Amino acid sequence: METMGFISIIPAILSIVLSFVTKNTIVSLVIACITGTLLAGKGIMGFPTLLKESLGTTSFSWVMLLNTFIGILVAYFQKTGAIQGFSQKVHDKKLSRKGAQLLAWILGIFIYFSDSFSPLFVGSTMRSITDKAKISREKLAYIADSTSAPVSVLMPITGWAAYLMGLAVGVGSIATQEDASTLFLKAIPFNFYALFAVIFVGLIATGIVPDFGPMKKAENRAMEEGKVLRDGATPLIGKELTEMEAYPGIKPRVFLNFILPVLMIISIAIGTYISMKSAKTMEAFLFVLIFMSISMMIQGIPFKEVMNTLTDGVKGAVPAVMLLALAYSVNELSTQMGTANYIISLTEDFLTPRMLPAIIFLVSAIMAFATGSSWGTFAICMPIALPLAFSFTNNQMSTLIIASFASVAGGGVFGDHCSPLSDTTVLSSTGAASDHIDHVKTQLPYALVCGTFALIAYLMVGFILVKV
C-alpha cells in the first residue's frame, strides 16, 4: 500500500488542531493545505493545483449545488413567511425547552432520505423556536447532526444504503444486489454507533441524561443569560438568511409555502429511489425551487423580489460552501499522500477474528475523523474489511461478516461526527447558525460516549458471538 507514512497525516492533524486553537476553520484549512502540498513535494503552485483537482469533481459539485439549492429554499421559506408561520404555530402550542428539543429530534428522524438536507432543514426550521426557548445554537446543531447521517445509514431506502450495498457486491459470497440488501438489513441491529447516537439525542432532549461538558456550559449560558451564541461567536451562515424578513403584506401560508414543498422533495426522492434505484435529490430540489418561484409570483411577490431572494439564498450559502471546498481539498490531499493506507498499516498486527469488528470500527472512525469523509472511508475500508472477514469464515456468511459490514458504516459516521472537516458537521452548523468550532467542541463528548459504547458492543460481539 502506497503511503508517505506519518507525513501523510500531518495536514489532517494540523487542520483539526489549528481549528480548535484559532477558532477560524477556513484559515486553518488553508494553512493545512499549503503545508501538505509543500510536504508532498508539489512546490509553491501545489495549493492552487490541489484546489482545481479537488473542486473540479462531480462529488464536490453535487454537495455545492445541493447546499446552494437548500440556501435558496430556506430564503424562499422566509420571504413567504412560511418558517415564521410554522414557528408561530409551534409557539402557540407553548412547547417547553424539552418539547422544542424533542420536536427537532423527531424532525431530524423524519427527514431521513438526505443527510445533507436534514441538518439544514431542521436547523433552519427550528432556529427561531429554540432561540425563544433559550436553547443554545450548539444544542440545535448537535440534534440536527446526530439525526442526519446516523438515521440515513440505518434506513434501507437511502443513498447511503445503496452506496454501502454497492461496495459489498462481489465480495465473498455476496454475489448479487439482493445478497447485499439482505446483508444491509441484517447489519442494522449491529450498527451500534448510529443506533446509540439517535437514541442518545432523545435521552439528552428529554433530560433523562443531563447535559455535560461544554454543552452544559453552552446551555447554562442560553438559559441564564439568554445568549444562544457565546460572545464573539461567528455563525456559519450568511446574514442574508438569518436576518431575512417576510415580504410585506404576504399571507403566511404554511402548507403551500412550507409543508407542501417539503413533501414534494420527499416524494420525488423516495419515488425515484424506488422506481430508478437512485434518489434524485438534486432534481427534487430544482423542481421545488421552480414551483416555489412561480407560486411566489402568483401570491403577489414581484419577479424582481423573487430573484433578489434567490440571490440572497446563494449568498447565505457561501460561508458553508467555502468551508466545504477547503475540507474537500484536505480530503483529496490525504488521498494523494496515502493517509488511509498508513492508518490501516498501523493495525495489521491486531487483526484477529474476535477483534476484527472492533478494530474495523476504530480504523474507520480514525480515517473519517482525519479526512472528514464517511463515504470516502466506506470506499477504502469496505473492500478491505469484508474480504478479511470472509477469509476467517471460509467465504461463508456469518455474524462476523454482518458485524464487520456494520462496523465500517458505524465507524465512518462516528469519525465524521467528531471531525470539523465533515460536510454534515459543516451543514449542521450552517442550519443552526452556530459557530462551527463551538458545535464540534460541544458535540464531541456526546459522540465519544456513543462511540465508546459502540466499541464495547463490538468487542462483546467478537468474543461472544463470533466463532473461531
Side-chain angles (χ1 to χ4, degrees), residues 183-230:
L183 174 62
F184 184 91
L185 291 172
K186 288 182 177 180
I188 290 174
F190 291 88
N191 198 339
F192 298 121
Y193 178 77
L195 290 167
F196 293 165
V198 176
I199 294 169
F200 199 68
V201 175
L203 296 175
I204 289 288
T206 56
I208 294 174
V209 174
D211 287 308
F212 56 90
M215 187 70 81
K216 182 178 181 179
K217 183 178 178 181
E219 285 290 85
N220 287 340
R221 181 200 67 225
M223 287 186 287
E224 296 168 6
E225 303 176 38
K227 296 178 180 178
V228 294
L229 287 164
R230 66 170 172 82

mmCIF file of all heavy atoms in Angstrom, residues 183-230:
data_model
loop_
_atom_site.group_PDB
_atom_site.id
_atom_site.type_symbol
_atom_site.label_atom_id
_atom_site.label_comp_id
_atom_site.label_asym_id
_atom_site.label_seq_id
_atom_site.Cartn_x
_atom_site.Cartn_y
_atom_site.Cartn_z
ATOM 1 N N LEU A 183 -27.739 -8.427 3.506
ATOM 2 C CA LEU A 183 -26.647 -8.118 4.434
ATOM 3 C C LEU A 183 -26.911 -6.787 5.133
ATOM 4 O O LEU A 183 -26.739 -6.679 6.358
ATOM 5 C CB LEU A 183 -25.320 -8.063 3.677
ATOM 6 C CG LEU A 183 -24.100 -7.598 4.486
ATOM 7 C CD1 LEU A 183 -23.816 -8.554 5.644
ATOM 8 C CD2 LEU A 183 -22.869 -7.492 3.579
ATOM 9 N N PHE A 184 -27.343 -5.778 4.385
ATOM 10 C CA PHE A 184 -27.601 -4.462 4.972
ATOM 11 C C PHE A 184 -28.681 -4.553 6.050
ATOM 12 O O PHE A 184 -28.532 -3.999 7.139
ATOM 13 C CB PHE A 184 -28.028 -3.472 3.889
ATOM 14 C CG PHE A 184 -28.225 -2.067 4.410
ATOM 15 C CD1 PHE A 184 -27.188 -1.154 4.411
ATOM 16 C CD2 PHE A 184 -29.466 -1.660 4.905
ATOM 17 C CE1 PHE A 184 -27.359 0.130 4.903
ATOM 18 C CE2 PHE A 184 -29.655 -0.387 5.417
ATOM 19 C CZ PHE A 184 -28.594 0.513 5.408
ATOM 20 N N LEU A 185 -29.767 -5.264 5.739
ATOM 21 C CA LEU A 185 -30.869 -5.385 6.698
ATOM 22 C C LEU A 185 -30.429 -6.123 7.958
ATOM 23 O O LEU A 185 -30.782 -5.731 9.078
ATOM 24 C CB LEU A 185 -32.053 -6.111 6.034
ATOM 25 C CG LEU A 185 -32.774 -5.335 4.932
ATOM 26 C CD1 LEU A 185 -33.784 -6.235 4.217
ATOM 27 C CD2 LEU A 185 -33.479 -4.113 5.514
ATOM 28 N N LYS A 186 -29.636 -7.184 7.787
ATOM 29 C CA LYS A 186 -29.160 -7.940 8.942
ATOM 30 C C LYS A 186 -28.169 -7.124 9.782
ATOM 31 O O LYS A 186 -28.036 -7.350 10.989
ATOM 32 C CB LYS A 186 -28.490 -9.244 8.481
ATOM 33 C CG LYS A 186 -29.463 -10.299 7.965
ATOM 34 C CD LYS A 186 -28.726 -11.563 7.571
ATOM 35 C CE LYS A 186 -29.704 -12.659 7.116
ATOM 36 N NZ LYS A 186 -28.975 -13.893 6.721
ATOM 37 N N ALA A 187 -27.497 -6.171 9.129
ATOM 38 C CA ALA A 187 -26.465 -5.385 9.818
ATOM 39 C C ALA A 187 -27.045 -4.228 10.627
ATOM 40 O O ALA A 187 -26.344 -3.667 11.475
ATOM 41 C CB ALA A 187 -25.455 -4.852 8.804
ATOM 42 N N ILE A 188 -28.307 -3.869 10.383
ATOM 43 C CA ILE A 188 -28.904 -2.716 11.084
ATOM 44 C C ILE A 188 -28.798 -2.853 12.609
ATOM 45 O O ILE A 188 -28.362 -1.913 13.289
ATOM 46 C CB ILE A 188 -30.369 -2.505 10.641
ATOM 47 C CG1 ILE A 188 -30.405 -2.007 9.186
ATOM 48 C CG2 ILE A 188 -31.068 -1.483 11.553
ATOM 49 C CD1 ILE A 188 -31.806 -1.914 8.593
ATOM 50 N N PRO A 189 -29.151 -4.014 13.211
ATOM 51 C CA PRO A 189 -29.036 -4.127 14.685
ATOM 52 C C PRO A 189 -27.588 -4.068 15.177
ATOM 53 O O PRO A 189 -27.345 -3.839 16.363
ATOM 54 C CB PRO A 189 -29.652 -5.502 14.983
ATOM 55 C CG PRO A 189 -30.464 -5.842 13.784
ATOM 56 C CD PRO A 189 -29.767 -5.218 12.633
ATOM 57 N N PHE A 190 -26.618 -4.287 14.272
ATOM 58 C CA PHE A 190 -25.202 -4.254 14.648
ATOM 59 C C PHE A 190 -24.543 -2.901 14.360
ATOM 60 O O PHE A 190 -23.359 -2.733 14.654
ATOM 61 C CB PHE A 190 -24.428 -5.355 13.903
ATOM 62 C CG PHE A 190 -24.777 -6.749 14.333
ATOM 63 C CD1 PHE A 190 -25.824 -7.434 13.732
ATOM 64 C CD2 PHE A 190 -24.070 -7.388 15.351
ATOM 65 C CE1 PHE A 190 -26.154 -8.718 14.121
ATOM 66 C CE2 PHE A 190 -24.396 -8.667 15.749
ATOM 67 C CZ PHE A 190 -25.450 -9.337 15.137
ATOM 68 N N ASN A 191 -25.301 -1.975 13.810
ATOM 69 C CA ASN A 191 -24.755 -0.645 13.529
ATOM 70 C C ASN A 191 -24.880 0.182 14.813
ATOM 71 O O ASN A 191 -25.673 1.119 14.917
ATOM 72 C CB ASN A 191 -25.513 0.016 12.372
ATOM 73 C CG ASN A 191 -24.746 1.165 11.756
ATOM 74 O OD1 ASN A 191 -23.847 1.732 12.391
ATOM 75 N ND2 ASN A 191 -25.084 1.521 10.532
ATOM 76 N N PHE A 192 -24.067 -0.185 15.787
ATOM 77 C CA PHE A 192 -24.246 0.303 17.161
ATOM 78 C C PHE A 192 -24.105 1.814 17.294
ATOM 79 O O PHE A 192 -24.886 2.453 18.000
ATOM 80 C CB PHE A 192 -23.270 -0.410 18.102
ATOM 81 C CG PHE A 192 -23.465 -1.893 18.179
ATOM 82 C CD1 PHE A 192 -22.443 -2.762 17.842
ATOM 83 C CD2 PHE A 192 -24.684 -2.419 18.574
ATOM 84 C CE1 PHE A 192 -22.623 -4.142 17.904
ATOM 85 C CE2 PHE A 192 -24.884 -3.792 18.645
ATOM 86 C CZ PHE A 192 -23.842 -4.657 18.307
ATOM 87 N N TYR A 193 -23.103 2.391 16.644
ATOM 88 C CA TYR A 193 -22.913 3.834 16.841
ATOM 89 C C TYR A 193 -24.119 4.620 16.350
ATOM 90 O O TYR A 193 -24.609 5.526 17.043
ATOM 91 C CB TYR A 193 -21.656 4.360 16.136
ATOM 92 C CG TYR A 193 -21.532 5.852 16.340
ATOM 93 C CD1 TYR A 193 -21.082 6.361 17.549
ATOM 94 C CD2 TYR A 193 -21.950 6.758 15.365
ATOM 95 C CE1 TYR A 193 -21.038 7.741 17.783
ATOM 96 C CE2 TYR A 193 -21.905 8.128 15.585
ATOM 97 C CZ TYR A 193 -21.445 8.605 16.799
ATOM 98 O OH TYR A 193 -21.421 9.962 17.031
ATOM 99 N N ALA A 194 -24.608 4.292 15.153
ATOM 100 C CA ALA A 194 -25.755 5.022 14.605
ATOM 101 C C ALA A 194 -26.970 4.887 15.519
ATOM 102 O O ALA A 194 -27.673 5.869 15.793
ATOM 103 C CB ALA A 194 -26.072 4.518 13.196
ATOM 104 N N LEU A 195 -27.230 3.677 15.991
ATOM 105 C CA LEU A 195 -28.364 3.444 16.894
ATOM 106 C C LEU A 195 -28.201 4.209 18.204
ATOM 107 O O LEU A 195 -29.122 4.891 18.655
ATOM 108 C CB LEU A 195 -28.502 1.943 17.184
ATOM 109 C CG LEU A 195 -28.977 1.061 16.026
ATOM 110 C CD1 LEU A 195 -28.769 -0.408 16.359
ATOM 111 C CD2 LEU A 195 -30.431 1.335 15.696
ATOM 112 N N PHE A 196 -27.009 4.109 18.786
ATOM 113 C CA PHE A 196 -26.762 4.798 20.066
ATOM 114 C C PHE A 196 -26.855 6.313 19.904
ATOM 115 O O PHE A 196 -27.372 7.006 20.784
ATOM 116 C CB PHE A 196 -25.383 4.418 20.615
ATOM 117 C CG PHE A 196 -25.256 2.983 21.036
ATOM 118 C CD1 PHE A 196 -24.007 2.415 21.248
ATOM 119 C CD2 PHE A 196 -26.377 2.183 21.222
ATOM 120 C CE1 PHE A 196 -23.879 1.085 21.641
ATOM 121 C CE2 PHE A 196 -26.266 0.860 21.611
ATOM 122 C CZ PHE A 196 -25.008 0.313 21.825
ATOM 123 N N ALA A 197 -26.344 6.831 18.779
ATOM 124 C CA ALA A 197 -26.336 8.284 18.568
ATOM 125 C C ALA A 197 -27.750 8.839 18.500
ATOM 126 O O ALA A 197 -28.059 9.873 19.107
ATOM 127 C CB ALA A 197 -25.571 8.625 17.288
ATOM 128 N N VAL A 198 -28.625 8.159 17.760
ATOM 129 C CA VAL A 198 -30.009 8.624 17.625
ATOM 130 C C VAL A 198 -30.743 8.523 18.959
ATOM 131 O O VAL A 198 -31.463 9.448 19.367
ATOM 132 C CB VAL A 198 -30.753 7.809 16.541
ATOM 133 C CG1 VAL A 198 -32.219 8.222 16.480
ATOM 134 C CG2 VAL A 198 -30.105 8.002 15.181
ATOM 135 N N ILE A 199 -30.570 7.410 19.655
ATOM 136 C CA ILE A 199 -31.227 7.222 20.954
ATOM 137 C C ILE A 199 -30.707 8.235 21.974
ATOM 138 O O ILE A 199 -31.467 8.789 22.766
ATOM 139 C CB ILE A 199 -31.009 5.777 21.464
ATOM 140 C CG1 ILE A 199 -31.735 4.783 20.546
ATOM 141 C CG2 ILE A 199 -31.493 5.623 22.901
ATOM 142 C CD1 ILE A 199 -31.373 3.332 20.798
ATOM 143 N N PHE A 200 -29.402 8.491 21.933
ATOM 144 C CA PHE A 200 -28.778 9.393 22.900
ATOM 145 C C PHE A 200 -29.336 10.811 22.778
ATOM 146 O O PHE A 200 -29.511 11.502 23.789
ATOM 147 C CB PHE A 200 -27.259 9.406 22.705
ATOM 148 C CG PHE A 200 -26.490 9.919 23.898
ATOM 149 C CD1 PHE A 200 -26.448 9.194 25.079
ATOM 150 C CD2 PHE A 200 -25.803 11.117 23.836
ATOM 151 C CE1 PHE A 200 -25.735 9.655 26.184
ATOM 152 C CE2 PHE A 200 -25.091 11.593 24.928
ATOM 153 C CZ PHE A 200 -25.052 10.862 26.107
ATOM 154 N N VAL A 201 -29.641 11.237 21.544
ATOM 155 C CA VAL A 201 -30.254 12.555 21.354
ATOM 156 C C VAL A 201 -31.580 12.624 22.096
ATOM 157 O O VAL A 201 -31.889 13.612 22.773
ATOM 158 C CB VAL A 201 -30.479 12.867 19.855
ATOM 159 C CG1 VAL A 201 -31.230 14.188 19.694
ATOM 160 C CG2 VAL A 201 -29.157 12.952 19.117
ATOM 161 N N GLY A 202 -32.377 11.570 21.970
ATOM 162 C CA GLY A 202 -33.660 11.524 22.669
ATOM 163 C C GLY A 202 -33.498 11.566 24.173
ATOM 164 O O GLY A 202 -34.253 12.247 24.882
ATOM 165 N N LEU A 203 -32.483 10.856 24.678
ATOM 166 C CA LEU A 203 -32.235 10.853 26.127
ATOM 167 C C LEU A 203 -31.781 12.220 26.630
ATOM 168 O O LEU A 203 -32.175 12.673 27.701
ATOM 169 C CB LEU A 203 -31.174 9.790 26.470
ATOM 170 C CG LEU A 203 -31.559 8.330 26.194
ATOM 171 C CD1 LEU A 203 -30.381 7.403 26.472
ATOM 172 C CD2 LEU A 203 -32.768 7.922 27.042
ATOM 173 N N ILE A 204 -30.961 12.891 25.818
ATOM 174 C CA ILE A 204 -30.499 14.242 26.178
ATOM 175 C C ILE A 204 -31.666 15.228 26.101
ATOM 176 O O ILE A 204 -31.853 16.084 26.978
ATOM 177 C CB ILE A 204 -29.360 14.688 25.239
ATOM 178 C CG1 ILE A 204 -28.063 13.911 25.528
ATOM 179 C CG2 ILE A 204 -29.123 16.189 25.342
ATOM 180 C CD1 ILE A 204 -27.370 14.295 26.810
ATOM 181 N N ALA A 205 -32.471 15.113 25.039
ATOM 182 C CA ALA A 205 -33.587 16.043 24.842
ATOM 183 C C ALA A 205 -34.622 15.943 25.961
ATOM 184 O O ALA A 205 -35.182 16.952 26.393
ATOM 185 C CB ALA A 205 -34.254 15.775 23.486
ATOM 186 N N THR A 206 -34.878 14.729 26.425
ATOM 187 C CA THR A 206 -35.875 14.548 27.493
ATOM 188 C C THR A 206 -35.322 14.848 28.877
ATOM 189 O O THR A 206 -36.080 14.946 29.845
ATOM 190 C CB THR A 206 -36.410 13.101 27.487
ATOM 191 O OG1 THR A 206 -35.298 12.195 27.598
ATOM 192 C CG2 THR A 206 -37.189 12.800 26.216
ATOM 193 N N GLY A 207 -33.997 14.975 28.977
ATOM 194 C CA GLY A 207 -33.389 15.231 30.273
ATOM 195 C C GLY A 207 -33.100 13.975 31.064
ATOM 196 O O GLY A 207 -32.626 14.046 32.207
ATOM 197 N N ILE A 208 -33.392 12.803 30.484
ATOM 198 C CA ILE A 208 -33.079 11.543 31.171
ATOM 199 C C ILE A 208 -31.577 11.451 31.409
ATOM 200 O O ILE A 208 -31.113 11.020 32.468
ATOM 201 C CB ILE A 208 -33.589 10.335 30.347
ATOM 202 C CG1 ILE A 208 -35.121 10.351 30.284
ATOM 203 C CG2 ILE A 208 -33.088 9.026 30.938
ATOM 204 C CD1 ILE A 208 -35.707 9.304 29.379
ATOM 205 N N VAL A 209 -30.819 11.868 30.368
ATOM 206 C CA VAL A 209 -29.376 12.047 30.530
ATOM 207 C C VAL A 209 -29.115 13.552 30.550
ATOM 208 O O VAL A 209 -29.396 14.244 29.571
ATOM 209 C CB VAL A 209 -28.585 11.397 29.368
ATOM 210 C CG1 VAL A 209 -27.093 11.724 29.489
ATOM 211 C CG2 VAL A 209 -28.802 9.890 29.341
ATOM 212 N N PRO A 210 -28.640 14.101 31.660
ATOM 213 C CA PRO A 210 -28.428 15.551 31.733
ATOM 214 C C PRO A 210 -27.243 15.993 30.876
ATOM 215 O O PRO A 210 -26.327 15.199 30.602
ATOM 216 C CB PRO A 210 -28.141 15.784 33.222
ATOM 217 C CG PRO A 210 -27.624 14.479 33.721
ATOM 218 C CD PRO A 210 -28.314 13.412 32.927
ATOM 219 N N ASP A 211 -27.271 17.240 30.424
ATOM 220 C CA ASP A 211 -26.158 17.779 29.643
ATOM 221 C C ASP A 211 -24.885 17.762 30.477
ATOM 222 O O ASP A 211 -24.922 17.920 31.704
ATOM 223 C CB ASP A 211 -26.462 19.218 29.205
ATOM 224 C CG ASP A 211 -27.510 19.269 28.100
ATOM 225 O OD1 ASP A 211 -27.329 18.560 27.095
ATOM 226 O OD2 ASP A 211 -28.500 20.011 28.253
ATOM 227 N N PHE A 212 -23.751 17.588 29.800
ATOM 228 C CA PHE A 212 -22.468 17.589 30.493
ATOM 229 C C PHE A 212 -21.406 18.180 29.568
ATOM 230 O O PHE A 212 -21.632 18.370 28.366
ATOM 231 C CB PHE A 212 -22.068 16.171 30.932
ATOM 232 C CG PHE A 212 -22.029 15.164 29.811
ATOM 233 C CD1 PHE A 212 -20.863 14.955 29.075
ATOM 234 C CD2 PHE A 212 -23.157 14.413 29.477
ATOM 235 C CE1 PHE A 212 -20.821 14.024 28.046
ATOM 236 C CE2 PHE A 212 -23.125 13.477 28.454
ATOM 237 C CZ PHE A 212 -21.954 13.290 27.732
ATOM 238 N N GLY A 213 -20.257 18.481 30.127
ATOM 239 C CA GLY A 213 -19.152 19.011 29.343
ATOM 240 C C GLY A 213 -19.443 20.400 28.781
ATOM 241 O O GLY A 213 -20.225 21.168 29.357
ATOM 242 N N PRO A 214 -18.833 20.743 27.644
ATOM 243 C CA PRO A 214 -19.027 22.068 27.040
ATOM 244 C C PRO A 214 -20.488 22.376 26.703
ATOM 245 O O PRO A 214 -20.894 23.535 26.731
ATOM 246 C CB PRO A 214 -18.176 21.996 25.765
ATOM 247 C CG PRO A 214 -17.146 20.948 26.042
ATOM 248 C CD PRO A 214 -17.832 19.943 26.903
ATOM 249 N N MET A 215 -21.280 21.337 26.413
ATOM 250 C CA MET A 215 -22.692 21.561 26.094
ATOM 251 C C MET A 215 -23.442 22.092 27.313
ATOM 252 O O MET A 215 -24.324 22.959 27.179
ATOM 253 C CB MET A 215 -23.351 20.269 25.601
ATOM 254 C CG MET A 215 -24.781 20.463 25.091
ATOM 255 S SD MET A 215 -24.848 21.367 23.528
ATOM 256 C CE MET A 215 -24.464 20.034 22.382
ATOM 257 N N LYS A 216 -23.115 21.591 28.484
ATOM 258 C CA LYS A 216 -23.764 22.074 29.707
ATOM 259 C C LYS A 216 -23.470 23.555 29.905
ATOM 260 O O LYS A 216 -24.360 24.342 30.260
ATOM 261 C CB LYS A 216 -23.276 21.267 30.909
ATOM 262 C CG LYS A 216 -23.942 21.676 32.224
ATOM 263 C CD LYS A 216 -23.462 20.808 33.376
ATOM 264 C CE LYS A 216 -24.147 21.218 34.680
ATOM 265 N NZ LYS A 216 -23.704 20.375 35.819
ATOM 266 N N LYS A 217 -22.227 23.951 29.636
ATOM 267 C CA LYS A 217 -21.853 25.358 29.759
ATOM 268 C C LYS A 217 -22.632 26.207 28.767
ATOM 269 O O LYS A 217 -23.125 27.303 29.111
ATOM 270 C CB LYS A 217 -20.351 25.502 29.516
ATOM 271 C CG LYS A 217 -19.822 26.914 29.694
ATOM 272 C CD LYS A 217 -18.312 26.960 29.472
ATOM 273 C CE LYS A 217 -17.796 28.386 29.613
ATOM 274 N NZ LYS A 217 -16.310 28.450 29.368
ATOM 275 N N ALA A 218 -22.761 25.713 27.530
ATOM 276 C CA ALA A 218 -23.500 26.452 26.500
ATOM 277 C C ALA A 218 -24.977 26.574 26.862
ATOM 278 O O ALA A 218 -25.591 27.644 26.687
ATOM 279 C CB ALA A 218 -23.345 25.753 25.148
ATOM 280 N N GLU A 219 -25.563 25.503 27.387
ATOM 281 C CA GLU A 219 -26.971 25.523 27.762
ATOM 282 C C GLU A 219 -27.224 26.434 28.965
ATOM 283 O O GLU A 219 -28.225 27.154 29.011
ATOM 284 C CB GLU A 219 -27.450 24.101 28.070
ATOM 285 C CG GLU A 219 -27.666 23.243 26.833
ATOM 286 C CD GLU A 219 -28.874 23.692 26.025
ATOM 287 O OE1 GLU A 219 -28.700 24.615 25.196
ATOM 288 O OE2 GLU A 219 -29.973 23.159 26.219
ATOM 289 N N ASN A 220 -26.310 26.422 29.922
ATOM 290 C CA ASN A 220 -26.441 27.333 31.068
ATOM 291 C C ASN A 220 -26.366 28.791 30.622
ATOM 292 O O ASN A 220 -27.102 29.647 31.139
ATOM 293 C CB ASN A 220 -25.348 27.047 32.101
ATOM 294 C CG ASN A 220 -25.586 25.750 32.859
ATOM 295 O OD1 ASN A 220 -26.710 25.249 32.887
ATOM 296 N ND2 ASN A 220 -24.550 25.202 33.460
ATOM 297 N N ARG A 221 -25.485 29.070 29.676
ATOM 298 C CA ARG A 221 -25.375 30.428 29.129
ATOM 299 C C ARG A 221 -26.685 30.855 28.480
ATOM 300 O O ARG A 221 -27.168 31.973 28.689
ATOM 301 C CB ARG A 221 -24.246 30.458 28.097
ATOM 302 C CG ARG A 221 -23.987 31.818 27.456
ATOM 303 C CD ARG A 221 -23.234 31.659 26.145
ATOM 304 N NE ARG A 221 -24.028 31.002 25.133
ATOM 305 C CZ ARG A 221 -23.583 30.011 24.339
ATOM 306 N NH1 ARG A 221 -22.351 29.553 24.444
ATOM 307 N NH2 ARG A 221 -24.398 29.482 23.425
ATOM 308 N N ALA A 222 -27.280 29.942 27.698
ATOM 309 C CA ALA A 222 -28.522 30.264 26.999
ATOM 310 C C ALA A 222 -29.677 30.474 27.986
ATOM 311 O O ALA A 222 -30.470 31.411 27.838
ATOM 312 C CB ALA A 222 -28.874 29.150 26.014
ATOM 313 N N MET A 223 -29.755 29.630 29.008
ATOM 314 C CA MET A 223 -30.850 29.724 29.975
ATOM 315 C C MET A 223 -30.703 30.908 30.926
ATOM 316 O O MET A 223 -31.660 31.633 31.195
ATOM 317 C CB MET A 223 -30.945 28.419 30.784
ATOM 318 C CG MET A 223 -31.509 27.237 30.024
ATOM 319 S SD MET A 223 -31.769 25.787 31.082
ATOM 320 C CE MET A 223 -30.085 25.244 31.352
ATOM 321 N N GLU A 224 -29.489 31.122 31.425
ATOM 322 C CA GLU A 224 -29.279 32.134 32.451
ATOM 323 C C GLU A 224 -29.049 33.534 31.889
ATOM 324 O O GLU A 224 -29.471 34.532 32.481
ATOM 325 C CB GLU A 224 -28.092 31.724 33.328
ATOM 326 C CG GLU A 224 -28.352 30.437 34.111
ATOM 327 C CD GLU A 224 -27.090 29.877 34.759
ATOM 328 O OE1 GLU A 224 -26.043 30.574 34.692
ATOM 329 O OE2 GLU A 224 -27.142 28.764 35.304
ATOM 330 N N GLU A 225 -28.367 33.609 30.726
ATOM 331 C CA GLU A 225 -28.047 34.910 30.147
ATOM 332 C C GLU A 225 -28.870 35.215 28.898
ATOM 333 O O GLU A 225 -28.831 36.333 28.394
ATOM 334 C CB GLU A 225 -26.556 34.975 29.802
ATOM 335 C CG GLU A 225 -25.622 34.725 30.975
ATOM 336 C CD GLU A 225 -24.162 34.695 30.554
ATOM 337 O OE1 GLU A 225 -23.787 35.501 29.671
ATOM 338 O OE2 GLU A 225 -23.403 33.853 31.090
ATOM 339 N N GLY A 226 -29.606 34.222 28.393
ATOM 340 C CA GLY A 226 -30.392 34.423 27.186
ATOM 341 C C GLY A 226 -29.551 34.509 25.929
ATOM 342 O O GLY A 226 -30.018 34.957 24.880
ATOM 343 N N LYS A 227 -28.286 34.055 25.979
ATOM 344 C CA LYS A 227 -27.384 34.109 24.832
ATOM 345 C C LYS A 227 -27.325 32.739 24.160
ATOM 346 O O LYS A 227 -26.706 31.815 24.686
ATOM 347 C CB LYS A 227 -25.981 34.537 25.276
ATOM 348 C CG LYS A 227 -25.900 35.953 25.843
ATOM 349 C CD LYS A 227 -24.471 36.260 26.304
ATOM 350 C CE LYS A 227 -24.370 37.670 26.873
ATOM 351 N NZ LYS A 227 -22.998 37.968 27.364
ATOM 352 N N VAL A 228 -27.961 32.630 22.994
ATOM 353 C CA VAL A 228 -27.934 31.347 22.294
ATOM 354 C C VAL A 228 -26.588 31.127 21.612
ATOM 355 O O VAL A 228 -26.257 30.010 21.210
ATOM 356 C CB VAL A 228 -29.082 31.252 21.262
ATOM 357 C CG1 VAL A 228 -30.425 31.242 21.960
ATOM 358 C CG2 VAL A 228 -29.012 32.386 20.243
ATOM 359 N N LEU A 229 -25.820 32.192 21.437
ATOM 360 C CA LEU A 229 -24.457 32.114 20.933
ATOM 361 C C LEU A 229 -23.534 32.740 21.972
ATOM 362 O O LEU A 229 -23.911 33.696 22.645
ATOM 363 C CB LEU A 229 -24.311 32.877 19.612
ATOM 364 C CG LEU A 229 -24.940 32.263 18.358
ATOM 365 C CD1 LEU A 229 -25.036 33.306 17.262
ATOM 366 C CD2 LEU A 229 -24.129 31.064 17.871
ATOM 367 N N ARG A 230 -22.322 32.208 22.077
ATOM 368 C CA ARG A 230 -21.367 32.826 23.006
ATOM 369 C C ARG A 230 -20.898 34.169 22.436
ATOM 370 O O ARG A 230 -20.965 34.402 21.218
ATOM 371 C CB ARG A 230 -20.170 31.913 23.245
ATOM 372 C CG ARG A 230 -19.293 31.696 22.026
ATOM 373 C CD ARG A 230 -17.989 30.995 22.361
ATOM 374 N NE ARG A 230 -17.286 30.645 21.134
ATOM 375 C CZ ARG A 230 -16.533 31.487 20.441
ATOM 376 N NH1 ARG A 230 -16.384 32.733 20.847
ATOM 377 N NH2 ARG A 230 -15.926 31.094 19.325
#
